[in-house]
Amino acid sequence: MNMKNLSLPLVALTFLVLAGCATQTVVTLQNGTQYLTKDIPKTKTADGFYEFTDIAGKHIRVKADDVATVRKED
């Protein structure tokens, strides 16, 4: 078999496997606002904030006291 014919399916398979590694997470604030993140957010930083990137690519920083729950999306 030609190596070029095998490379495209292998590349596609690699991207599918890597896409499965990200764990979408729902961050719910005390006021009911929910953020869907690409991955598990960084835990509380030294200055008392959670930092994460939502699925739109926006960087979010919230006070830890304002966070009600952090859970994996079902």
Side-chain angles (χ1 to χ4, degrees), residues 6 15 17 19 34 36 41 44-45 47 50 52 55 57 59 61:
L6 288 176
F15 281 117
V17 168
Q34 291 186 331
L36 184 61
K44 190 166 66 169
T45 59
D47 57 354
Y50 278 91
F52 53 90
I55 58 171
H59 181 75
R61 190 169 189 246

Side-chain angles (χ1 to χ4, degrees), residues 58-69:
K58 184 177 178 185
H59 181 75
I60 309 289
R61 190 169 189 246
V62 224
K63 281 179 44 175
D65 294 341
D66 293 339
V67 176
T69 60

Side-chain angles (χ1 to χ4, degrees), residues 9-72:
L10 288 176
V11 170
L13 180 63
T14 302
F15 281 117
L16 288 173
V17 168
L18 290 176
C21 293
T23 305
Q24 289 188 340
T25 306
V26 178
V27 178
T28 306
L29 303 184
Q30 296 289 345
N31 66 6
T33 304
Q34 291 186 331
Y35 293 100
L36 184 61
T37 69
K38 294 179 180 181
D39 210 351
I40 297 173
K42 292 181 183 175
T43 55
K44 190 166 66 169
T45 59
D47 57 354
F49 284 84
Y50 278 91
E51 295 182 4
F52 53 90
T53 303
D54 68 3
I55 58 171
K58 184 177 178 185
H59 181 75
I60 309 289
R61 190 169 189 246
V62 224
K63 281 179 44 175
D65 294 341
D66 293 339
V67 176
T69 60
V70 177
R71 62 175 176 82
K72 290 182 183 178

